[in-house]
């Protein structure tokens, strides 16, 4: 029997990789635990590490605006990351850190059972969809696997760095809405 209490207890005590040594908080997730859509980012940044919730810094504010543009809010989705502890100086999470953490995310997926999984950025797409995933070429494509519809888009931080990526990302968010409406029937 899977439970949120088991997951949270395991995560809060986790020392499976070295990231526990520098974390301020374990960032498990936020949003609706019965959501049909789950967004998966890379790992907590500084603000997330301080506050204990994912996507609360500038990238999170942009994500909130993009959700609002498709008439959604945090109450309609659940948001988590590939790793639950902040990699120092926001470096990419190492392969061994991702491997140590991924089973918590799998457990979370089983608890939530979303219909749609949206990978935010290269790291999440490689971990969830395909290790050879190319975000520039394959973003926006949908795959159905193990009962989930899965897709990937640019990470909101990439959109903040490069304005030219914003328009395709807005279009893409509409395709998430379309898929959601289609699956809702
Ligand atoms: N970037 C991520 O990938 N995740 C967060 O929670 C915040 C920023």
């Amino acid at each position: 029997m899977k439970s949120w209490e088991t997951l949270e207890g395991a995560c809060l005590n986790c020392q499976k990789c070295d990231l526990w040594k520098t974390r301020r908080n374990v960032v498990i997730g936020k949003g609706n635990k019965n959501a049909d859509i789950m967004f998966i980012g890379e790992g907590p940044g500084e603000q997330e590490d301080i506050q204990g919730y994912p996507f609360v810094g500038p990238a999170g504010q942009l994500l909130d605006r993009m959700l609002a543009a498709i008439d959604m809010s945090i109450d309609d989705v659940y948001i988590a990351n590939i790793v639950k502890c902040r990699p120092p100086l926001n470096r990419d999470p190492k392969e061994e850190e991702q491997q140590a953490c991924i089973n918590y995310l799998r457990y979370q997926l089983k608890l939530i059972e979303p219909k749609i999984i949206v990978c935010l950025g290269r790291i999440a797409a490689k971990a969830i969809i395909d290790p050879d995933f190319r975000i520039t070429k394959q973003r926006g494509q949908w795959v159905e696997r193990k009962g989930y519809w899965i897709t990937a888009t640019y990470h909101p931080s990439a959109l903040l760095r490069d304005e030219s990526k914003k328009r395709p990302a807005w279009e893409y968010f509409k395709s998430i809405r379309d898929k959601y409406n289609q699956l809702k029937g």
Side-chain angles (χ1 to χ4, degrees):
M1 204 22 204
K2 295 205 181 315
S3 78
W4 281 99
E5 290 70 32
T6 306
L7 174 74
E8 285 159 9
C11 290
L12 295 178
N13 291 308
C14 184
Q15 299 188 351
K16 285 190 187 174
C17 77
D18 281 347
L19 294 181
W20 73 273
K21 294 179 183 164
T22 44
R23 74 181 174 221
R24 276 173 276 201
N25 278 294
V26 181
V27 178
I28 296 175
K30 70 172 181 185
N32 183 341
K33 290 175 174 170
N34 296 309
D36 286 332
I37 306 187
M38 182 156 167
F39 284 85
I40 301 177
E42 182 177 318
E46 185 181 27
Q47 278 309 311
E48 290 75 21
D49 182 45
I50 292 171
Q51 297 184 40
Y53 292 100
F55 284 97
V56 289
Q61 285 152 19
L62 177 58
L63 182 59
D64 290 345
R65 291 203 296 280
M66 300 189 86
L67 285 173
I70 55 168
D71 287 326
M72 285 190 183
S73 73
I74 187 66
D75 297 332
D76 301 300
V77 303
Y78 189 87
I79 306 180
N81 283 305
I82 295 295
V83 295
K84 293 186 170 13
C85 299
R86 183 190 182 202
L89 303 172
N90 295 349
R91 64 160 169 72
D92 287 353
K94 293 178 187 165
E95 191 56 41
E96 66 262 28
E97 294 161 351
Q98 297 184 40
Q99 287 307 321
C101 214
I102 197 83
N103 276 342
Y104 295 132
L105 190 64
R106 292 201 179 108
Y107 194 107
Q108 233 165 344
L109 277 166
K110 295 251 164 58
L111 288 169
I112 298 165
E113 293 198 312
K115 295 185 166 71
I116 293 173
I117 299 172
V118 181
C119 301
L120 295 171
R122 171 179 60 87
I123 299 277
K126 282 176 178 281
I128 305 279
I129 303 177
D130 175 358
D132 296 323
F133 196 90
R134 304 291 305 273
I135 197 86
T136 42
K137 287 206 180 116
Q138 291 168 270
R139 73 193 150 81
Q141 295 176 7
W142 289 89
V143 291
E144 190 184 13
R145 201 184 289 162
K146 295 185 188 162
Y148 305 114
W149 280 95
I150 314 176
T151 181
T153 187
Y154 289 127
H155 192 287
S157 301
L159 306 181
L160 290 173
R161 283 193 300 269
D162 180 353
E163 285 282 320
S164 73
K165 292 195 169 93
K166 272 195 181 161
R167 177 158 291 284
W170 288 107
E171 291 301 319
Y172 166 79
F173 261 64
K174 285 191 218 141
S175 94
I176 300 175
R177 176 90 230 183
D178 290 344
K179 181 62 86 183
Y180 175 76
N181 290 342
Q182 185 190 324
L183 295 176
K184 278 259 161 196

